[in-house]
Amino acid sequence: MSIKVTFHGQSCFQFEQGDHSLLVDPFFTDNPVAKCSAKDISCSHIAITHGHFDHFADCEGIAKANDATVFAAYEICDYLGEQGHEKCEPGNPGGRIEAPFGSISFTRAFHSSSFNGRYMGEPCGLMIEFGGAVVYHAGDTSLFSDMELLGQMYQPDISLLPIGDRFTMGPEMAAAAAELIGAPTAIPMHYNTWPPIAVDVTRFAPEGVEVLVMEPGDAIELSPETNE
Ligand code: NI
Ligand code: MN
């Protein structure tokens, strides 16, 4: 069965197959490029890279509305519990959690993580195993050489990489990241949402990696070979 992958803008992606729907880094309400609103979203699971508002602001509302299980750093799960959402799977970099759709592994990201002034634990990348596909969502991060190791260990099919500069890698650094990770396809994210992270996407040009540019609202179908 193929997997539908939708890009909602900034770093928000949704993976859907059968009864499973995983939403990553939900950001709709204050997202100027989003094509739908938080109340239109239905999902069974949510995964969060870090607590910054452009990755987490709509998590609580969508999680409660859908009774969705949230995978996130320990401190983020703690916060959600205080808000009355207990259905959480806390983790931290290095850890893997099994899920009905596959698994979520937390990887290192070089960034910060807070929400309304509160420390939200370590920022993370996510290695997402979903319906036989492996997708690396880098979260917000700088370039780091262990990306090569992550590529060797997890052999992702796709990497989702921030290219907007200022808060994360810019396009040239992200191209180097794509080459280090070695996934055959890279999708740029976290750019052109606001002027401070406006970049020309054509500058994201890794060698030997196919670049797939998705506009907010775009969806693709994946058919992983290992998928049954
Ligand atoms: Ni951030
Ligand atoms: Mn961000």
Side-chain angles (χ1 to χ4, degrees):
M1 206 191 320
S2 67
I3 302 161
K4 183 183 179 191
V5 182
T6 306
F7 179 51
H8 292 295
Q10 192 67 344
S11 300
C12 182
F13 287 83
Q14 189 164 11
F15 301 87
E16 295 171 274
Q17 185 188 54
D19 294 336
H20 302 313
S21 177
L22 171 69
L23 185 67
V24 181
D25 282 4
F27 180 51
F28 299 92
T29 307
D30 293 316
N31 181 352
V33 299
K35 294 286 184 272
C36 62
S37 67
K39 64 173 170 34
D40 301 325
I41 295 295
S42 65
C43 62
S44 56
H45 297 80
I46 299 173
I48 301 291
T49 61
H50 65 295
H52 287 157
F53 74 100
D54 55 317
H55 304 257
F56 179 63
D58 283 309
C59 178
E60 183 190 336
I62 293 173
K64 286 178 173 173
N66 292 274
D67 194 29
T69 302
V70 180
F71 298 82
Y74 179 85
E75 290 79 1
I76 290 176
C77 293
D78 232 17
Y79 170 85
L80 289 170
E82 286 172 25
Q83 309 310 310
H85 188 77
E86 303 282 353
K87 220 169 157 182
C88 294
E89 289 281 3
N92 245 325
R96 175 176 176 271
I97 303 173
E98 296 213 2
F101 53 79
S103 66
I104 297 282
S105 298
F106 295 95
T107 64
R108 199 89 168 86
F110 289 84
H111 192 63
S112 60
S113 180
S114 60
F115 186 66
N116 293 334
R118 172 168 164 166
Y119 171 66
M120 287 300 229
E122 288 296 295
C124 296
L126 302 171
M127 200 63 74
I128 300 162
E129 200 190 330
F130 188 96
V134 179
V135 179
Y136 173 50
H137 187 301
D140 283 359
T141 188
S142 67
L143 176 65
F144 55 95
S145 58
D146 276 4
M147 285 174 167
E148 184 174 14
L149 191 55
L150 294 175
Q152 289 168 4
M153 298 287 290
Y154 295 97
Q155 309 220 317
D157 302 295
I158 298 179
S159 54
L160 312 176
L161 299 171
I163 70 159
D165 224 332
R166 184 181 292 263
F167 302 110
T168 68
M169 299 180 281
E172 288 79 16
M173 291 282 187
E179 292 167 14
L180 279 180
I181 296 153
T185 303
I187 301 175
M189 63 178 180
H190 209 273
Y191 70 103
N192 290 358
T193 308
W194 303 281
I197 56 170
V199 298
D200 175 358
V201 70
T202 64
R203 288 169 53 201
F204 178 59
E207 279 184 35
V209 176
E210 181 203 11
V211 172
L212 179 57
V213 175
M214 295 181 75
E215 299 298 329
D218 280 357
I220 57 169
E221 297 280 340
L222 288 184
S223 302
E225 286 167 25
T226 52
N227 189 31
E228 295 173 316

